[in-house]
Amino acid sequence: VPRPTRNSLPLAFFSLTLPPPPTQHVTSSRDGWDETIILSIMSVPDMTALESLDEGSMLANLEGRLIGESNPYTYVSTVLVAVNPLKAVPVPKDETFVETAFDPTAPHPNALAELAYQRLRGGESDQSLVVSGESGAGKTESSKIVIQYLTRRSHGEGDLADRVVAMSPVLEAFGNASTNRNPNSSRFGRFVKMVFTAEQTLVGGELETYLLEKSRVVRQNKGERNFHSLHMMLAERRELDLGGEGGRFRCMPTKASLAAATNNRGGGGPEMAIPQYAAVTSALSLVRVDKATAETVWAALGAVVLLADVKVEETVDSATNEYAGHVDTAKNSVLDKAASFLGLKEGAAALAAALTTRVVRTVDAGEIQVKRTPQDVEASRDAACRWLYGAVFQSLVIQCNDALHGGAGHETNFEGKRFIGILDIFGFETHDGENGLETLLINYANEGLQQLFCDAVFAAELDLYEQEGILDGDDALRNVDKPDSTPTIDLLVGFSRGKPGVLKLLDAQCAIGGVKSSARLDAVGPKRSSSVSAAGSRDATFLAKIHSEFSGHAALASTAPLEKRHLFHVKHYAGVVGYTVIPQNRDLDPDKGWVSTNLDAVPESIPRVVATSTKPFVASLGGLVGDSSNQGHPGGGNGGGGQSNGSGSEVAAAMAASGNHHHHRKQSAEKKTVSSRFAASMTKLASTLQATDCGFIRCIKPTPRMVPNVFDVNYVREQLRALGIVAATEVLRVGLPHRVEYAELVKHTVPAAAKKGFEGEPHDVVVACILSAFDVAADDYRLGTTRIFFPASALARVNDALAFDEAKDPERAKVLAAKLAKAKDSAKAAGKAVAGVRADSDRAKKAVAKGQSELKMLPLADIDAGYDHFSDSSKSASSSSSGVAGGVSVVEGKLDRARSEVQRAEDAVASVSTASGGDREDVLEAKAAAEAATEKLGVAEGLASEATASEEQVAELKQKIVAAKEAADAARSVVDRAKRHSAEAEAMAAKAGASARRLRLEETATLAKETKLAADAAEKAVTDGTLKAHFRSAFNAWSKKPLPALRAAADAAAAKKEASGKEADLALDAAKKALALVDDVRAALDELRRQEEERQRKEEEARRLAAEAEAKRLAEEAAEA
């Protein structure tokens, strides 16, 4: 932020010594009445010199500067307020500013440009100048003044300077229009970066544009013109022979309405201000648009006008039995001429198909061509006009960038180079009628810029206070409540609450789609459904969500219950603004609804058809769909969203502008809306500006009638508020807005009789005596390094001192001389007190230094590292089985399982050994496995015992480290306490010095006592023996080098635990093997037992059979017998 340099002259002094302006007879406007009045207004070049820095004083000062002095420029600190003079004013020579220090008495755009140029050379960050104001306030002219000065100042290479200057006529012709407020109104925002070498030679630039008002292409407010380029094309390119009914075209205003508008503006006509065709053609050549391409550009504009004139007829589609739109494609028809101007290969037929049909993608049938309704065709036609003009504009922006970069094939490398950016952007606005989405986006942009503005002003003031050394560490000036736009930005974009803002809600509503309705023929006849219902439904839902989702939000102003169905109110820095979503007194035009405006969709086939052109320039427009199809100004209708050139979005795939009888398809994430692109571009812009040092030019229009020598106070008052100047001055008013250099105060106030007594005295001492003699209270000023600072409330008393004239008032001079002598005695007494205070402060510092030297003898870093080491180890041990203290439970668990399994194995082996007699080979194998398990278990238990011993050693070493740490921290605490007392002594000494400089003897004495007490406490803390005791404890505890021993013991414990665990695992495995072998033995024994039982059963069966056979034989024998 530009700051006054130390050799700048005192602002308050100028407000008193500048001669009054001559009395003038001028015309001024008050409350709408013109009257001849006599002005004799004492004005100042910097309004911080005003005794009362309020709205009324600023208005009077600006009027005095403009009307009384014919000077449109005034500073508020380093902010330039530029009131449009609406007439030629003297242009100062460049030499007035080149290599000069910032002069607060000579406000001018060139002064801020020079300051930015010098700061760039000083190795500081990139620079920016933000130029803002309402339409007609002179933003474009102020920006051109800055750009042209920097171009001349930096001696651009070759024809670069011409290209930079030529950029303005091109952008004005294609981006400006005559409105009811301004005959040459910019309908877009732009950010021009002028890039410099390390030697500060201009080597190129970059151009970014925002928010082109594409809706103006097909619709203008009453009395306004279309873009200048379209009027130029009709007036100067008659060979195009557009025809038209009686020379009239639907998208162009009538001559009668323009004449009425000219009369309402007070005469002069818009043609007096707009760029001329000859200048534009020359500028196109300078930005390297060749003649053939220029011819194609004008032809493309002719196609825009013709396309807007295409009439849509209503037919019935026999295939679907629905209403459909039809356009004439016959030879020499309007559409045929438009296609010819665009050089389309397939002529009017392809253009007609793109306008009258759309593709519906279905799951079953794939892509189906559907005819549009007449309303949809009209919306498609207008959307195509807006897109085509936006594409032409975007192509020219790209061409300007190429020219600034050196041209195709001659790209300039800007890496590592610095830039000065000039932002020319729309100002805060509110309309007497309805404020729509377009106004909301503009005001959102201004809300962010206003926050940047206030932060910059506040930072500049604090930086100056720091340089002058008038701030204490906890000074109240650091905590001044400055205006905060955060709540409003949060409401609009929702960046801090985790909830979507208003614009996100709008995007969500756009993605949902509309209401389905029918337009089929029935038995009675054709039935038409209004497209208003669909668009209105979505807008109504969006509005209802605002009132429900943000109820109670700090930035959402109250709205009357009946009005909630139509609008919502937002608290802006410039006041509360109502935004109308559902108009109250007329049906909703679906082409103007918030949802439709936000979508700003163009038939996706239009860019594809344009890309088939035989004319290279026109064909290239089809590839710009991502850059230009949705780049627009939300200035009514399907306005567009803003974006920097180079960023893009996919073309919308469905017509969402009319709320027709088909379902509105859900918009894909890639198809960004107007508001989302604009919000993204503003975020990028804010990041760029925040990374630079910003200067500000606030432009003001003195009268809505755009005539010179008229100053409408009420009209200007509204602009002061809208530009945030009133809000920003709050930062200055609560601080120290007035300052006078020591030399000036001494020169004008010390009587001759008293001057000898002050020879050789420091200026601050002399100034304190002077202010005391003039009865200026000590609370009413602060003494800096080179100047005195004081609030607005003290200005009258300081001005009294500055106005003192010894020759005119010798009696008062004697009184002042006596007072000065008395004040000098007080200053001497105060000086002695300050000397004692400084000694006490130094004594406290020495005590601290002594304590710190003792601390340095302790190995504090090693103690802290040792303590942190085992603390970290303990933390990791709590979540892991490894580490110094970890693994106990894991190893013990393994040992317990191993013991259990080994015991089971031993018991099992003993059991099978008894059962088998103990001489079986498999039993012997199981026994050997059990013995191995027992042996491994013993080893594991031994290692675990050793680990336990190591852990006990670790615990002892930890205690020593903790003791060393506690003693070291206690020693630190003692020194820290001494530091605090020393800091208190230093702070008291500083306050005592400040009081002494203001000759406050009693306060100085009190502060001296407090300084001594603080110094005594600092000494006591270091010398009472406590520090030495803690030092010895820490030293003794650490002298045995516990950390290496701790690490070794911890490593040993960890290693033995690990080994014990491994041995326990081996014991467990061996026990399991033994148990498995035992199971095998038992199975074998069970098999032997089964075989024996089977043998015995068979023998018993054989005996039974033999007995039966014998019995049978004996029976037979008995029978025979």
Side-chain angles (χ1 to χ4, degrees):
V1 177
R3 293 186 291 267
T5 57
R6 292 191 177 184
N7 60 347
S8 63
L9 295 172
L11 306 185
F13 176 71
F14 285 110
S15 69
L16 293 163
T17 58
L18 283 176
T23 300
Q24 302 180 43
H25 293 267
V26 298
T27 300
S28 183
S29 171
R30 295 282 186 175
D31 300 324
W33 295 91
D34 286 346
E35 57 181 354
T36 300
I37 62 174
I38 297 178
L39 279 179
S40 181
I41 300 174
M42 175 63 74
S43 59
V44 294
D46 189 318
M47 290 194 285
T48 58
L50 295 172
E51 181 172 353
S52 179
L53 189 60
D54 56 22
E55 187 178 90
S57 299
M58 287 191 289
L59 285 168
N61 194 76
L62 292 175
E63 183 176 12
R65 297 277 292 171
L66 181 69
I67 305 300
E69 302 177 21
S70 294
N71 192 331
Y73 303 116
T74 309
Y75 284 130
V76 180
S77 187
T78 53
V79 177
L80 180 66
V81 180
V83 182
N84 191 346
L86 301 171
K87 64 180 181 181
V89 295
V91 179
K93 294 182 179 180
D94 289 352
E95 292 75 15
T96 306
F97 307 99
V98 172
E99 298 300 338
T100 61
F102 181 80
D103 185 355
T105 68
H108 196 274
N110 289 354
L112 290 188
E114 176 65 23
L115 184 60
Y117 187 78
Q118 291 181 17
R119 288 170 67 84
L120 200 68
R121 179 175 57 200
E124 301 185 43
S125 61
D126 296 323
Q127 306 292 307
S128 291
L129 286 174
V130 179
V131 186
S132 61
E134 73 166 54
S135 179
K139 300 187 300 295
T140 300
E141 287 303 314
S142 294
S143 299
K144 286 196 291 188
I145 290 171
V146 170
I147 291 172
Q148 290 170 4
Y149 176 83
L150 290 173
T151 302
R152 296 190 302 270
R153 178 75 170 85
S154 58
H155 312 295
E157 297 176 351
D159 64 345
L160 176 61
D162 294 334
R163 281 179 271 140
V164 171
V165 174
M167 178 177 59
S168 291
V170 173
L171 295 177
E172 286 184 40
F174 289 84
N176 288 22
S178 176
T179 69
N180 290 323
R181 293 187 171 195
N182 181 9
N184 188 31
S185 175
S186 296
R187 310 315 297 162
F188 68 104
R190 56 178 161 176
F191 186 46
V192 180
K193 292 181 179 179
M194 302 182 69
V195 184
F196 300 86
T197 63
E199 295 75 25
Q200 287 197 284
T201 299
L202 181 66
V203 291
E206 293 179 352
L207 170 65
E208 296 177 3
T209 60
Y210 309 96
L211 221 61
L212 176 68
E213 187 190 13
K214 296 188 299 182
S215 63
R216 180 170 293 271
V217 174
V218 294
R219 185 187 298 108
Q220 307 91 37
N221 294 328
K222 185 177 180 180
E224 296 190 350
R225 288 162 52 104
N226 213 320
F227 288 104
H228 294 327
S229 59
L230 293 172
H231 290 276
M232 289 181 187
M233 181 270 299
L234 292 174
E236 303 290 343
R237 307 300 304 227
R238 298 185 183 277
E239 74 276 7
L240 294 176
D241 189 22
L242 269 64
E245 296 183 3
R248 294 177 57 185
F249 300 92
R250 188 179 72 89
C251 70
M252 304 300 289
T254 64
K255 293 182 179 179
S257 68
L258 291 179
T262 299
N263 292 332
N264 289 336
R265 278 191 291 264
E271 67 279 356
M272 299 293 291
I274 65 175
Q276 300 301 305
Y277 174 78
V280 174
T281 55
S282 175
L284 285 171
S285 176
L286 286 172
V287 296
R288 298 177 178 174
V289 176
D290 60 60
K291 186 176 180 179
T293 302
E295 296 290 329
T296 307
V297 169
W298 297 115
L301 297 188
V304 171
V305 174
L306 290 170
L307 188 58
D309 256 19
V310 171
K311 294 182 178 179
V312 180
E313 300 175 353
E314 184 178 84
T315 62
V316 176
D317 184 4
S318 58
T320 62
N321 208 29
E322 292 185 345
Y323 284 110
H326 171 75
V327 296
D328 184 10
T329 59
K331 187 173 181 60
N332 293 326
S333 65
V334 174
L335 191 64
D336 182 62
K337 285 185 178 181
S340 175
F341 281 6
L342 293 174
L344 301 183
K345 291 181 180 179
E346 299 180 18
L351 201 54
L355 293 174
T356 59
T357 62
R358 65 187 180 91
V359 175
V360 175
R361 296 174 179 85
T362 65
V363 177
D364 299 328
E367 293 188 351
I368 301 175
Q369 267 201 347
V370 178
K371 291 190 175 181
R372 302 182 191 274
T373 65
Q375 297 96 326
D376 290 347
V377 176
E378 290 175 350
S380 299
R381 173 200 63 200
D382 289 351
C385 292
R386 291 192 298 270
W387 172 80
L388 182 56
Y389 189 86
V392 171
F393 178 80
Q394 189 65 15
S395 180
L396 292 176
V397 170
I398 293 172
Q399 183 60 39
C400 287
N401 263 320
D402 288 343
L404 294 177
H405 274 260
H410 301 85
E411 293 295 314
T412 302
N413 183 11
F414 291 162
E415 185 177 353
K417 294 179 173 60
R418 311 295 286 276
F419 72 83
I420 298 176
I422 298 93
L423 176 65
D424 174 359
I425 199 163
F426 25 74
F428 186 93
E429 65 179 35
T430 179
H431 303 291
D432 294 335
E434 295 170 350
N435 298 296
L437 175 61
E438 60 276 7
T439 308
L440 180 71
L441 293 181
I442 288 173
N443 292 347
Y444 157 61
N446 277 271
E447 203 71 55
L449 292 174
Q450 174 65 14
Q451 188 66 57
L452 177 70
F453 175 50
C454 290
D455 289 346
V457 171
F458 181 65
E461 284 297 293
L462 278 186
D463 191 52
L464 179 61
Y465 296 166
E466 292 280 9
Q467 289 180 21
E468 289 289 328
I470 64 172
L471 290 181
D472 298 330
D474 57 349
D475 201 299
L477 288 173
R478 298 182 187 275
N479 303 312
V480 170
D481 290 331
K482 58 182 182 294
D484 185 10
S485 294
T486 302
T488 302
I489 296 173
D490 176 57
L491 172 67
L492 298 180
V493 297
F495 67 89
S496 66
R497 301 177 306 124
K499 291 180 65 177
V502 168
L503 298 183
K504 285 291 185 182
L505 281 184
L506 180 59
D507 287 346
Q509 195 60 42
C510 290
I512 291 172
V515 178
K516 185 177 181 180
S517 57
S518 175
R520 289 181 177 275
L521 296 168
D522 55 23
V524 178
K527 182 189 297 182
R528 296 186 180 88
S529 64
S530 173
S531 60
V532 174
S533 62
S537 171
R538 291 188 290 171
D539 287 331
T541 302
F542 161 66
L543 179 59
K545 285 183 178 180
I546 290 177
H547 288 298
S548 61
E549 292 285 336
F550 300 106
S551 177
H553 193 287
L556 185 68
S558 62
T559 301
L562 292 179
E563 291 185 335
K564 287 186 176 181
R565 293 176 296 176
H566 303 284
L567 72 162
F568 64 98
H569 290 82
V570 176
K571 296 177 184 177
H572 290 286
Y573 69 91
V576 175
V577 178
Y579 296 99
T580 301
V581 179
I582 307 292
Q584 299 188 42
N585 300 321
R586 59 181 172 83
D587 292 335
L588 176 67
D589 181 350
D591 198 37
K592 285 189 175 182
W594 281 50
V595 172
S596 296
T597 299
N598 196 39
L599 288 167
D600 187 36
V602 62
E604 61 182 357
S605 53
I606 289 291
R608 289 203 297 265
V609 171
V610 170
T612 66
S613 172
T614 58
K615 298 180 178 182
F617 174 79
V618 175
S620 70
L621 301 181
L624 289 179
V625 60
D627 290 330
S628 62
S629 64
N630 290 309
Q631 185 212 356
H633 186 294
N638 281 17
Q643 73 218 25
S644 307
N645 70 286
S647 64
S649 62
E650 297 296 327
V651 64
M655 276 302 297
S658 63
N660 57 39
H661 61 278
H662 300 289
H663 263 309
H664 287 270
R665 288 206 309 273
K666 183 175 181 180
Q667 301 297 305
S668 68
E670 293 81 9
K671 295 159 188 170
K672 295 180 180 179
T673 61
V674 168
S675 60
S676 64
R677 288 192 313 277
F678 183 64
S681 67
M682 288 299 101
T683 299
K684 178 185 175 184
L685 175 62
S687 298
T688 299
L689 294 177
Q690 287 169 356
T692 66
D693 282 335
C694 280
F696 298 91
I697 301 178
R698 295 316 216 203
C699 298
I700 290 177
K701 183 164 63 172
T703 169
R705 294 176 53 197
M706 298 292 287
V707 293
N709 298 326
V710 175
F711 190 94
D712 189 321
V713 174
N714 291 328
Y715 189 66
V716 174
R717 177 185 287 110
E718 293 176 0
Q719 294 175 74
L720 282 178
R721 294 172 181 173
L723 289 169
I725 297 173
V726 175
T729 55
E730 291 296 326
V731 174
L732 302 175
R733 188 175 356 195
V734 299
L736 301 168
H738 307 293
R739 59 232 39 192
V740 180
E741 290 191 354
Y742 289 154
E744 294 297 330
L745 190 64
V746 173
K747 176 181 177 182
H748 290 277
T749 57
V750 180
K755 284 186 177 179
K756 289 186 178 180
F758 285 97
E759 289 180 356
E761 294 291 342
H763 267 164
D764 58 345
V765 173
V766 179
V767 167
C769 293
I770 292 170
L771 295 175
S772 175
F774 279 92
D775 299 322
V776 178
D779 289 333
D780 283 345
Y781 64 88
R782 296 197 187 190
L783 298 174
T785 304
T786 63
R787 68 196 76 185
I788 176 177
F789 292 78
F790 50 92
S793 59
L795 181 60
R797 291 185 293 278
V798 176
N799 280 345
D800 177 53
L802 288 169
F804 169 68
D805 187 339
E806 182 179 7
K808 293 181 180 180
D809 196 350
E811 291 301 322
R812 190 183 184 194
K814 293 178 182 179
V815 174
L816 288 175
K819 286 185 175 182
L820 284 170
K822 184 177 179 181
K824 183 179 178 182
D825 292 338
S826 298
K828 288 182 178 179
K832 290 181 180 179
V834 168
V837 165
R838 289 174 180 165
D840 286 333
S841 178
D842 292 341
R843 180 162 55 89
K845 291 178 182 178
K846 289 179 180 178
V848 171
K850 179 181 178 182
Q852 289 176 328
S853 66
E854 291 190 17
L855 277 182
K856 288 180 180 179
M857 297 173 65
L858 281 176
L860 295 175
D862 292 341
I863 294 174
D864 291 339
Y867 183 81
D868 293 341
H869 173 78
F870 86 74
S871 295
D872 293 341
S873 299
S874 298
K875 290 177 184 177
S876 62
S878 64
S879 59
S880 173
S881 61
S882 61
V884 175
V888 176
S889 59
V890 175
V891 173
E892 287 300 326
K894 286 185 177 181
L895 288 173
D896 288 343
R897 290 195 299 274
R899 290 188 188 101
S900 176
E901 291 301 294
V902 169
Q903 186 62 48
R904 281 183 57 211
E906 289 177 346
D907 293 345
V909 168
S911 174
V912 297
S913 179
T914 302
S916 65
D919 55 353
R920 288 173 56 86
E921 183 177 350
D922 51 0
V923 173
L924 294 175
E925 185 179 0
K927 186 176 182 181
E931 290 173 351
T934 301
E935 181 181 355
K936 293 293 183 183
L937 177 60
V939 173
E941 288 177 333
L943 290 171
S945 178
E946 293 176 5
T948 300
S950 295
E951 285 181 340
E952 291 174 354
Q953 184 183 2
V954 167
E956 293 176 1
L957 293 169
K958 282 182 181 179
Q959 290 179 356
K960 293 181 180 179
I961 292 176
V962 169
K965 173 67 172 173
E966 290 176 348
D969 286 346
R972 282 195 186 103
S973 178
V974 171
V975 175
D976 287 342
R977 187 165 68 251
K979 283 182 181 178
R980 288 195 298 273
H981 290 309
S982 178
E984 291 172 4
E986 187 174 5
M988 292 299 107
K991 290 181 179 179
S995 295
R997 293 175 77 194
R998 300 182 190 184
L999 307 184
R1000 290 174 164 175
L1001 298 184
E1002 291 184 3
E1003 182 179 290
T1004 303
T1006 300
L1007 291 169
K1009 290 179 181 179
E1010 293 179 2
T1011 304
K1012 184 178 184 305
L1013 290 174
D1016 291 343
E1019 278 191 332
K1020 182 179 179 182
V1022 175
T1023 60
D1024 67 356
T1026 305
L1027 178 60
K1028 289 186 177 180
H1030 292 315
F1031 175 87
R1032 284 194 296 270
S1033 296
F1035 189 82
N1036 292 336
W1038 196 257
S1039 62
K1040 297 180 181 179
K1041 303 186 182 301
L1043 183 58
L1046 181 143
R1047 287 173 175 166
D1051 291 343
K1056 289 173 181 177
K1057 285 178 186 177
E1058 184 179 3
S1060 175
K1062 290 181 179 179
E1063 292 297 328
D1065 288 338
L1066 293 175
L1068 189 61
D1069 292 341
K1072 289 179 179 179
K1073 179 180 179 182
L1075 288 171
L1077 291 172
V1078 167
D1079 289 341
D1080 292 342
V1081 171
R1082 285 174 175 165
L1085 292 176
D1086 289 344
E1087 179 63 23
L1088 289 175
R1089 187 162 47 253
R1090 188 190 63 75
Q1091 291 176 359
E1092 179 61 23
E1093 289 174 352
E1094 182 64 20
R1095 183 185 64 75
Q1096 290 179 0
R1097 186 188 65 74
K1098 288 181 178 179
E1099 289 179 353
E1100 182 65 27
E1101 181 65 18
R1103 286 195 294 272
R1104 183 181 66 74
L1105 293 174
E1108 289 178 352
E1110 181 63 20
K1112 183 178 180 182
R1113 183 183 64 76
L1114 291 176
E1116 290 175 351
E1117 289 179 355
E1120 289 178 359

